[in-house]
Amino acid sequence: MLAPMDEGNNAAGSAQDISQMSFEQALAALETIVQQLERGDVPLDHSISLYERGEALRAACQQRLDAAQARIEKIVTGADGRVGGTRPLDSDG
């Protein structure tokens, strides 16, 4: 019999609860799912559900990483084209 699972056990309601997770929480949940799938002792139907949730978690993590990278890359250049500094990470402009 399988042990109760923590993160990743409810693939059905994944979209809403994933959006509420921090990056770190989503990454930890993804790591848990990967470990469960790597063990190979999960029934096929549940494996498919875990895989789907894992893909949703991966996509959410990637989206957050892409957004963070875009914010970090906001380089302020002067009129002469030289780098003049960086904008604050939370700057909209």
Side-chain angles (χ1 to χ4, degrees):
M1 183 177 280
L2 293 174
M5 293 178 226
D6 13 6
E7 301 294 340
N9 62 344
N10 183 8
S14 65
Q16 185 175 8
D17 61 298
I18 290 172
S19 68
Q20 302 300 316
M21 291 179 168
S22 69
F23 173 81
E24 292 78 10
Q25 290 169 324
L27 186 59
L30 180 56
E31 289 171 350
T32 299
I33 287 172
V34 169
Q35 290 170 358
Q36 291 172 351
L37 292 172
E38 285 179 343
R39 277 195 319 260
D41 60 356
V42 180
L44 179 60
D45 288 341
H46 191 63
S47 292
I48 293 168
S49 295
L50 285 172
Y51 181 84
E52 290 170 344
R53 180 163 173 85
E55 179 55 28
L57 287 161
R58 184 212 56 81
C61 288
Q62 186 64 54
Q63 182 180 19
R64 291 178 186 142
L65 286 173
D66 291 345
Q69 181 177 358
R71 289 169 55 194
I72 290 169
E73 290 177 349
K74 287 184 178 180
I75 304 294
V76 178
T77 55
D80 60 358
R82 294 179 134 191
V83 175
T86 58
R87 292 183 184 157
L89 292 179
D90 58 356
S91 170
D92 288 354

